[in-house]
Amino acid sequence: MVTDYRRVAEHLRGLLNNCTMDALAERFLPSDQAMSTRLSGSGQVDAASLDRRWDLLAKNLERTLGQAREELCDPRTRARLDRYQANIENCIGTAELPVGLAGPLRVCGVHARGDYYVPLATTEAALVASCTRGAQAVSLSGGCRCAVVRRGLSRAPGFVFECLADAGRFALWVTEHIDALRQSAESTTRHGKLIDIRVHLEGRHVHLICEYTTGDAAGQNMVTLATDALCQHLLAHCPTQPTRWFVEANMSGDKKASAISFIGVRGRKVVAEAVIPKQVVERRLGTDAESMETYWRVSSLGAVSSGAMGVQGHVANVLAGMYIACGQDAACVAESSVGITRMEARPGQDLYVSVTLPAVVVGTVGGGTGLPSAQACLALLGLPEADPADALAEIVAATALAGELSIVAALAAGDFTQAHRALARDRAEPADTSEEAGTTETADGAAQPGD
């Protein structure tokens, strides 16, 4: 990106305000100071290991860390350190986030059916209130219809060859030995199934996009182990050998927004929809269907003009809150939030709304789902015994729809700024009631995102 020369000059003048260019350059010289003491026993999660790390940290930083130690390594954390053994290295404690409940949200899904109180772990004031308002509008309208329409999680190894001819021979061999490759991959897991291998040639490189179903697990580690076994079989049996290979060559869409996930699937592709009657739009959302559709059209063009992957308002907000609360991999919000929100005014001015999320990466076993707080939040949802991960994905999409409904309504009605002032700033900062400040509207008198 080219930066305007005036901005460069202004920034450099600020940097040089209190020092010379030579002094600034010295800051970038390599340091020959002795390196701080390395932490040891990174995988051990027990009281003795935590205490050693805290003592070492205090020594190296040359300051007392009593308050930080007390907050992060509180008695409750110390009493159940064994629960975190498989999830962390160099552990020094746990971090707390407030968890709020959005809902009740009525979901009429293939796997999730009922009224749900959805846990959201977030520090963003107004998010839970906004989702609750959207959930109320959806529930009063009969609920959100949801369906997992496709499943598949990819790992994409890459292979390097001397020339295109070798790459082509290798690709042909792969297509002729799919069954043997499937058997090798599935030998590593009881639950994962290899459902497809797509071959992508680029010059003398070959990418194999190996797609799996992963049962009730999110499955990132599962597909890595399975794909490694598949690659080992390739290396042992294919007559055309690569000069180099990598178990993941950045074509799976893992933890990033990508076109391959957007037009395909990563995890679970979920579609959610609802029809909000005219009176509910007006009474509960404070606007009308035509205004919401107009805003949706304008914002869609804005998203396209900005180069956004997908068209939606703040799906990442909802997904981050649910993922953290329910023990999911929070980094997967990068791909999971890629999706499309649609809003259309019906002839009678009812509102049709849908959210399509092609990359919902969630699970109910493995990863962080075994942590105490995650188990508690999953228990609050009361997922069914059959296909609980599919049910969770449908609730994720339904909650995202509720969040989209509320934020678009607030923006269409012109209430967005006022609602955030009421639920965020005014609650965090005491209102200035001095004569110089004039009259200040407080949270109690401001318009609320929820009813």
Side-chain angles (χ1 to χ4, degrees):
M1 174 185 286
V2 178
T3 303
D4 188 290
Y5 77 90
R6 287 178 290 264
R7 295 183 182 180
V8 173
E10 182 180 354
H11 184 67
L12 289 175
R13 280 195 293 269
L15 289 176
L16 298 173
N17 188 37
N18 295 315
C19 66
T20 65
M21 182 65 80
D22 289 341
L24 184 64
E26 288 182 5
R27 294 174 180 263
F28 299 108
L29 295 175
S31 172
D32 58 1
Q33 291 184 347
M35 185 174 168
S36 299
T37 307
R38 175 178 173 271
L39 296 170
S40 61
S42 65
Q44 296 174 332
V45 184
D46 53 50
S49 299
L50 262 68
D51 288 339
R52 283 198 302 271
R53 292 180 193 118
W54 277 108
D55 292 342
L56 177 62
L57 195 60
K59 179 180 178 181
N60 285 345
L61 297 179
E62 297 181 345
R63 64 176 186 265
T64 59
L65 299 170
Q67 184 176 358
R69 187 169 183 167
E70 182 179 344
E71 283 293 332
L72 296 175
C73 197
D74 59 279
R76 184 176 173 83
T77 296
R78 295 179 72 93
R80 53 187 186 183
L81 288 173
D82 59 307
R83 302 289 295 274
Y84 307 108
Q85 182 68 49
N87 297 94
I88 192 71
E89 299 79 39
N90 289 335
C91 182
I92 61 169
T94 58
E96 292 185 0
L97 282 176
V99 178
L101 290 177
L105 172 61
R106 180 157 295 179
V107 180
C108 304
V110 175
H111 302 280
R113 294 190 61 83
D115 292 348
Y116 294 92
Y117 293 91
V118 182
L120 298 172
T122 182
T123 58
E124 182 180 351
L127 177 61
V128 174
S130 181
C131 289
T132 295
R133 180 172 79 145
Q136 186 179 50
V138 168
S139 299
L140 288 171
S141 305
C144 180
R145 299 182 290 271
C146 300
V148 173
V149 298
R150 187 174 170 186
R151 302 179 188 87
L153 190 74
S154 300
R155 186 59 71 211
F159 302 84
V160 181
F161 296 89
E162 289 291 346
C163 61
L164 174 60
D166 287 349
R169 281 190 286 267
F170 174 85
L172 177 61
W173 188 93
V174 168
T175 63
E176 294 173 342
H177 295 80
I178 295 294
D179 289 340
L181 295 173
R182 179 180 293 110
Q183 185 176 354
S184 296
E186 294 179 3
S187 68
T188 65
T189 172
R190 292 179 297 163
H191 306 288
K193 301 296 179 184
L194 178 64
I195 58 175
D196 193 16
I197 300 178
R198 301 193 299 280
V199 180
H200 177 80
L201 272 75
E202 190 283 313
R204 59 191 179 95
H205 296 172
V206 177
H207 295 255
L208 300 181
I209 305 169
C210 305
E211 188 171 319
Y212 302 80
T213 57
T214 59
D216 289 321
Q220 292 99 318
N221 292 334
M222 182 191 299
V223 300
T224 298
L225 296 174
T227 303
D228 185 78
L230 180 152
C231 292
Q232 297 298 339
H233 181 92
L234 277 171
L235 297 174
H237 296 90
C238 183
T240 307
Q241 289 289 300
T243 59
R244 296 289 300 275
W245 74 278
F246 309 93
V247 73
E248 172 58 53
N250 216 20
M251 202 170 175
S252 67
D254 191 7
K255 295 180 174 65
K256 56 187 68 69
S258 67
I260 198 167
S261 297
F262 183 60
I263 63 175
V265 63
R266 180 161 177 80
R268 287 166 169 83
K269 180 174 182 177
V270 194
V271 179
E273 68 172 8
V275 175
I276 314 300
K278 179 177 184 290
Q279 62 270 27
V280 175
V281 175
E282 294 174 350
R283 181 181 177 189
R284 300 296 179 180
L285 300 178
T287 183
D288 58 81
E290 184 179 359
S291 296
M292 293 182 70
E293 180 184 328
T294 299
Y295 173 82
W296 171 73
R297 286 200 305 270
V298 173
S299 67
S300 296
L301 291 173
V304 171
S305 300
S306 69
M309 186 71 69
V311 176
Q312 38 83 21
H314 70 153
V315 167
N317 245 342
V318 173
L319 268 58
M322 286 194 70
Y323 279 21
I324 294 170
C326 297
Q328 310 303 309
D329 189 338
C332 288
V333 171
E335 68 248 49
S336 296
S337 59
V338 171
I340 294 178
T341 296
R342 175 189 296 269
M343 293 190 181
E344 300 169 355
R346 292 281 176 87
Q349 292 300 295
D350 294 345
L351 178 73
Y352 173 84
V353 55
S354 71
V355 169
T356 301
L357 301 178
V360 177
V361 183
V362 295
T364 55
V365 295
T369 62
L371 298 180
S373 60
Q375 287 190 334
C377 288
L378 289 170
L380 285 173
L381 289 173
L383 301 173
E385 292 185 10
D387 302 316
D390 286 339
L392 178 59
E394 290 177 353
I395 296 170
V396 166
T399 309
L401 183 146
E404 293 291 272
L405 194 62
S406 185
I407 194 172
V408 171
L411 287 161
D415 295 333
F416 182 76
T417 303
Q418 186 179 10
H420 278 76
R421 180 185 296 118
L423 289 179
R425 182 176 178 181
D426 280 358
R427 289 194 302 180
E429 302 175 6
D432 187 349
T433 57
S434 64
E435 291 183 4
E436 290 79 8
T439 303
T440 301
E441 190 174 39
T442 64
D444 292 334
Q448 303 288 315
D451 188 353

